[in-house]
Amino acid sequence: MATVSPTPLLKDELDIVIPTIRNLDFLEMWRPFFQPYHLIIVQDGDPTKTIKVPEGFDYELYNRNDINRILGPKASCISFKDSACRCFGYMVSKKKYIYTIDDDCFVAKDPSGKDINALEQHIQNLLSPSTPFFFNTLYDPYRSGADFVRGYPFSLREGVPTAVSHGLWLNIPDYDAPTQLVKPLERNTRYVDAIMTIPKGTLFPMCGMNLAFNRELIGPAMYFGLMGDGQPIGRYDDMWAGWCTKVICDHLGWGVKTGLPYIWHSKASNPFVNLKKEYKGIYWQEELIPFFQSVALPKDCTTVQKCYIEISKQVKAKLGKVDDYFNKLADAMVTWIEAWDELNPSGNISAKIPNGASK
Amino acid sequence: MSLAIKDDEVDIVIGALRSDLTTFMNEWRPMFSRFHLIIVKDPDLKEELKIPEGFNLDVYGKPDIDQVVGSSTSILFSGYSCRYFGYLVSRKKYIISVDDDCLPARDPKGFLVDAVAQHIRNLTNPATPFFFNTLYDPYAEGADFVRGYPFSLRGGVKCALSCGLWLNLADHDAPTQALKARQRNSRYVDAVMTVPAGSLIPISGINIAFEREAVGPALVPALKLAGEGKCRWETMEDIWSGLCVKVVCDHLGLGVKTGLPYIWRTDRGDPIASLKKEWEGVKLMEEVIPFFQSVRLPREATTVEECIVEVANAVKERLGSMDPVFARASKAMLDWIKLWQSVGSSSSRSSAV
């Protein structure tokens, strides 16, 4: 029986991107797990404020002045006064993988009381294949102690590359404002010991609090949109990126996983403030979901950038009439890709559209 | 949120492939005794069934099957498929069915899992097939829909099928179990989730429950391997049946859940011996899955029976020439629908498509 080999650290291949407007005290708790890695801190809000990074971490820090300087006029696509600004960190990173985490997320404990090394689990998720074409009822078949179930076709057991690993949260769950208002005391105490691939063709609400992805594969799709200052909407940044990412992953034959690892989310944001931010989104979402469910990407969209530009065209054509915001967002999506390509000129990963099992 | 159901709305259907059900029934007694049971004896089983006292049950054997469906059609109900006869003659709204080599499991806290109650919870709470909730079952205690889940989809749809899981001997196929001879499933995943619309899943018959009035005819005893045997490793009938149910549910806007409850599956059989027989099933899946992924049901098919007839015709047309097992499956599906209409109780309501 093969022994489980230790998870590679990938310390020179992974950047940790952290948006912050407050402070980085939370890093002390993560030190045992994060210290080997390079951090990219994206400082939101007032650029004259100094954010102190705890001693001993290797990092680069960007505030709004840096973003404006580096991107020039293209800086308009990066949100201000919203954690959506984190996607600037993805753009300037030179690494293959990204892990992003919010500054109010701490190390959680598993049911045995052991501290969870979230980053290690994300790396395992990203380095093992996904299985989007047929659902395995025992969840991740590549985990030790699990496998494919009877009836799972052998031709699909190799899986496809994993582009995204979406982790979850104990304690304060990621609820929308109305739910927070109705259930202010609810805490997520259920540890679900599973990782699973979200099937092809299925959308999900992606949360940016505890998220890792293969930047070389899917980076350009991880644009977190126009949120915050001067924008009519907030708290839809990660979801927007998630829907674009999922549509593109489905098209290019890559997988998106959700489940472990858990982090401990400690700060409940103010639900009244959240309601104001989300308000328009709650209505717009009813248009957005059918939109994303029906986006069809042509066969000649063989790179993430081409797919993304195509989506931006469809956003303009179909969502522009919902609100002018979507025209601006579509333009910002194009600006983002232009900025991405400028900062990352080494070329695109072209994916052969898989024949695979059709839907 | 869940509907309160009465005990007399449930049938527990057990296909008996072994004659001595004493341990099985006694272990399940706390969960089963409130309900009516239908025990169907595998027509190939020669010995008399041994069933302990104290249950409200009806037992059916070969003579009953022959009498109800005629000896030419009774072929449908041999081996593991004997339980489908129980589905046919049941008059209850919900059916729960587990294999006769399974016992109640314990959860991580050491408590016995009431699989019946969990299945009922799954069936009487809505399913959410149109958008994936990252916190899994939003109707579970202590959970909800996450930020970003569209409000218009939060009412959910009816859950027609509940697929449970297995601790100890998981439902792997023979090659996998032969390769990992000592592997046993000890991971208790505390979640129920809706299988998204458009996604297929291998539904194991070892531990399932369904609303008979909603999807009964879609659980078809149709795919009989040439070398079908008396171990799950030597069958694919449930996998085929499950694919039919999922396609029909997707078409009619019904939900399928997977996850809890767990049952404890006892060690039995020799995967290496089964490997020779089940290889046929493994090869067939390579044709079966692409077929089910691409089958499209017409708008005019608005009842479960109509949907199954459509699928049966598509099977004959597209798979019939590949292997005789498919032509037989297609015929079996049509025979089953005829039986359901004549013997089964009032057929499922028409669902708006």
Side-chain angles (χ1 to χ4, degrees):
Chain A
M1 199 62 5
T3 49
V4 179
S5 43
T7 309
L9 256 188
L10 299 186
K11 72 174 181 67
D12 296 320
E13 295 177 74
L14 185 145
D15 274 337
I16 303 180
V17 172
I18 304 166
T20 187
I21 195 164
R22 299 175 270 242
N23 61 63
L24 293 168
D25 296 347
F26 86 118
L27 279 177
E28 277 308 330
M29 198 190 187
W30 286 102
R31 191 183 284 277
F33 305 123
F34 284 5
Q35 191 142 350
Y37 299 90
H38 180 71
L39 312 181
I40 296 180
I41 317 287
V42 183
Q43 178 183 335
D44 195 16
D46 182 0
T48 64
K49 178 175 167 186
T50 308
I51 302 272
K52 190 176 175 306
V53 183
E55 287 289 319
F57 283 99
D58 170 44
Y59 71 95
E60 54 198 279
L61 186 148
Y62 299 92
N63 60 29
R64 191 72 206 184
N65 294 338
D66 300 312
I67 295 172
N68 290 337
R69 174 177 49 83
I70 292 169
L71 293 184
K74 296 198 178 73
S76 59
C77 73
I78 303 296
S79 303
F80 183 61
K81 287 291 212 38
D82 194 286
S83 64
C85 64
R86 73 176 82 208
C87 62
F88 177 78
Y90 311 156
M91 196 194 275
V92 297
S93 165
K94 300 283 168 267
K95 303 283 172 56
K96 183 171 180 182
Y97 302 99
I98 297 276
Y99 175 47
T100 186
I101 184 172
D102 279 12
D103 62 7
D104 59 355
C105 293
F106 295 82
V107 178
K109 288 191 191 294
D110 71 18
S112 74
K114 184 164 164 258
D115 279 353
I116 298 171
N117 183 346
L119 187 47
E120 185 182 59
Q121 182 66 61
H122 276 298
I123 290 171
Q124 272 175 29
N125 294 349
L126 289 173
L127 294 182
S128 61
S130 294
T131 51
F133 303 122
F134 201 60
F135 192 91
N136 192 43
T137 47
L138 281 185
Y139 314 110
D140 185 349
Y142 307 103
R143 261 184 110 185
S144 84
D147 212 304
F148 291 96
V149 295
R150 178 174 54 100
Y152 205 104
F154 273 77
S155 59
L156 294 181
R157 293 192 188 199
E158 230 179 77
V160 298
T162 301
V164 180
S165 167
H166 178 261
L168 296 175
W169 348 272
L170 292 172
N171 196 41
I172 310 285
D174 189 24
Y175 288 161
D176 52 51
T179 310
Q180 283 178 303
L181 284 164
V182 168
K183 294 179 163 190
L185 300 177
E186 187 151 275
R187 297 291 176 264
N188 186 22
T189 56
R190 183 177 284 114
Y191 185 93
V192 178
D193 188 6
I195 304 135
M196 64 202 74
T197 301
I198 300 180
K200 178 178 171 178
T202 300
L203 293 175
F204 77 114
M206 187 174 86
C207 174
M209 267 199 266
N210 174 22
L211 180 73
F213 57 94
N214 183 327
R215 185 182 159 277
E216 271 180 18
L217 278 187
I218 200 66
M222 283 286 184
Y223 173 49
F224 272 40
L226 290 173
M227 307 279 148
D229 229 41
Q231 306 299 342
I233 190 176
R235 287 168 58 84
Y236 272 79
D237 52 334
D238 41 5
M239 283 151 13
W240 180 265
W243 296 326
C244 294
T245 291
K246 186 60 166 60
V247 163
I248 294 174
C249 284
D250 285 351
H251 178 74
L252 296 178
W254 299 326
V256 172
K257 292 184 180 175
T258 187
L260 301 183
Y262 283 89
I263 48 84
W264 180 268
H265 183 213
S266 74
K267 190 175 179 300
S269 39
N270 183 307
F272 297 99
V273 170
N274 289 344
L275 188 57
K276 273 205 204 137
K277 292 182 185 174
E278 290 174 14
Y279 177 75
K280 289 207 163 130
I282 289 175
Y283 293 94
W284 289 347
Q285 199 169 290
E286 300 298 334
E287 311 286 339
L288 296 183
I289 299 311
F291 167 77
F292 280 104
Q293 279 171 337
S294 60
V295 163
L297 293 168
K299 273 196 124 51
D300 60 6
C301 286
T302 52
T303 67
V304 175
Q305 285 90 329
K306 284 191 187 142
C307 291
Y308 202 75
I309 298 289
E310 177 61 32
I311 293 177
S312 76
K313 288 191 190 134
Q314 296 189 28
V315 167
K316 201 163 238 193
K318 299 194 188 152
L319 296 175
K321 51 183 178 287
V322 173
D323 193 280
D324 189 49
Y325 168 75
F326 291 104
N327 290 317
K328 289 199 335 229
L329 181 58
D331 291 339
M333 290 168 76
V334 174
T335 306
W336 159 265
I337 293 293
E338 286 170 358
W340 182 283
D341 284 344
E342 243 176 63
L343 264 63
N344 299 284
S346 53
N348 314 317
I349 309 268
S350 209
K352 182 168 177 294
I353 313 288
N355 288 324
S358 58
K359 256 255 169 254
Chain B
M1 232 221 199
S2 78
L3 317 168
I5 72 157
K6 302 195 273 296
D7 291 352
D8 66 2
E9 290 183 275
V10 177
D11 258 336
I12 298 181
V13 173
I14 306 296
L17 270 74
R18 299 178 308 162
S19 55
D20 189 352
L21 297 178
T22 316
T23 309
F24 172 80
M25 297 290 289
N26 280 332
E27 294 289 318
W28 281 106
R29 191 184 291 272
M31 294 93 182
F32 282 6
S33 57
R34 288 160 59 189
F35 302 101
H36 177 252
L37 284 94
I38 292 177
I39 300 189
V40 186
K41 185 178 159 190
D42 175 7
D44 301 329
L45 190 61
K46 298 288 172 264
E47 297 85 3
E48 283 296 307
L49 289 183
K50 276 217 288 245
I51 300 171
E53 295 283 324
F55 291 93
N56 171 18
L57 50 75
D58 285 299
V59 183
Y60 298 90
K62 189 170 186 334
D64 308 297
I65 298 174
D66 286 345
Q67 190 198 16
V68 171
V69 309
S71 50
S72 57
T73 335
S74 65
I75 189 73
L76 285 178
F77 303 109
S78 73
Y80 278 100
S81 297
C82 62
R83 53 159 67 174
Y84 293 91
F85 182 78
Y87 304 164
L88 188 67
V89 298
S90 167
R91 293 293 174 261
K92 301 291 166 69
K93 184 170 182 187
Y94 300 102
I95 288 187
I96 295 162
S97 203
V98 300
D99 276 5
D100 66 359
D101 58 359
C102 297
L103 301 173
R106 285 189 187 273
D107 68 18
K109 294 198 175 81
F111 295 117
L112 274 181
V113 172
D114 186 344
V116 176
Q118 181 66 55
H119 273 305
I120 289 172
R121 236 188 328 272
N122 293 349
L123 291 173
T124 54
N125 276 301
T128 50
F130 302 119
F131 206 71
F132 191 89
N133 192 44
T134 47
L135 281 186
Y136 313 110
D137 180 5
Y139 307 103
E141 186 76 38
D144 213 304
F145 291 97
V146 295
R147 174 176 57 96
Y149 203 102
F151 278 80
S152 61
L153 295 180
R154 296 190 188 199
V157 299
K158 178 197 287 269
C159 178
L161 186 75
S162 165
C163 313
L165 295 173
W166 344 270
L167 289 173
N168 193 43
L169 198 67
D171 193 12
H172 295 308
D173 51 45
T176 306
Q177 195 68 62
L179 190 66
K180 295 181 168 184
R182 277 193 291 280
Q183 176 152 307
R184 295 293 179 271
N185 187 25
S186 55
R187 183 176 287 124
Y188 187 96
V189 178
D190 185 9
V192 174
M193 64 200 76
T194 300
V195 184
S199 298
L200 294 179
I201 123 179
I203 294 176
S204 166
I206 295 175
N207 174 16
I208 56 166
F210 57 98
E211 188 179 315
R212 196 191 57 83
E213 285 176 8
V215 289
L219 279 90
V220 296
L223 190 78
K224 227 165 210 25
L225 299 181
E228 186 180 86
K230 308 297 184 187
C231 287
R232 278 290 181 195
W233 291 315
E234 297 162 359
T235 68
M236 280 291 180
E237 56 83 13
D238 50 349
I239 307 296
W240 178 273
S241 172
L243 292 167
C244 293
V245 176
K246 186 59 167 64
V247 161
V248 171
C249 283
D250 284 352
H251 180 74
L252 297 179
L254 301 170
V256 172
K257 290 184 185 172
T258 186
L260 302 179
Y262 281 88
I263 48 86
W264 178 271
R265 193 162 169 243
T266 54
D267 284 75
R268 195 164 78 87
D270 175 6
I272 295 175
S274 296
L275 195 57
K276 295 179 221 142
K277 293 188 194 176
E278 207 230 354
W279 197 242
E280 182 202 348
V282 164
K283 281 191 295 183
L284 289 178
M285 279 299 122
E286 298 300 331
E287 312 295 340
V288 169
I289 302 308
F291 167 76
F292 278 100
Q293 279 173 331
S294 60
V295 86
R296 296 285 175 263
L297 296 170
R299 293 211 94 169
E300 300 77 47
T302 56
T303 67
V304 175
E305 290 93 331
E306 285 165 2
C307 291
I308 291 297
V309 168
E310 289 290 332
V311 175
N313 292 336
V315 169
K316 180 158 182 216
E317 197 183 298
R318 289 160 51 186
L319 294 176
S321 51
M322 264 184 223
D323 192 303
V325 76
F326 294 127
R328 285 196 295 269
S330 169
K331 179 170 187 306
M333 289 166 76
L334 296 172
D335 286 344
W336 168 255
I337 293 300
K338 291 199 195 93
L339 268 183
W340 190 275
Q341 283 164 336
S342 61
V343 176
S345 77
S346 56
S347 43
S348 50
R349 309 186 308 275
S350 214
S351 298
V353 170

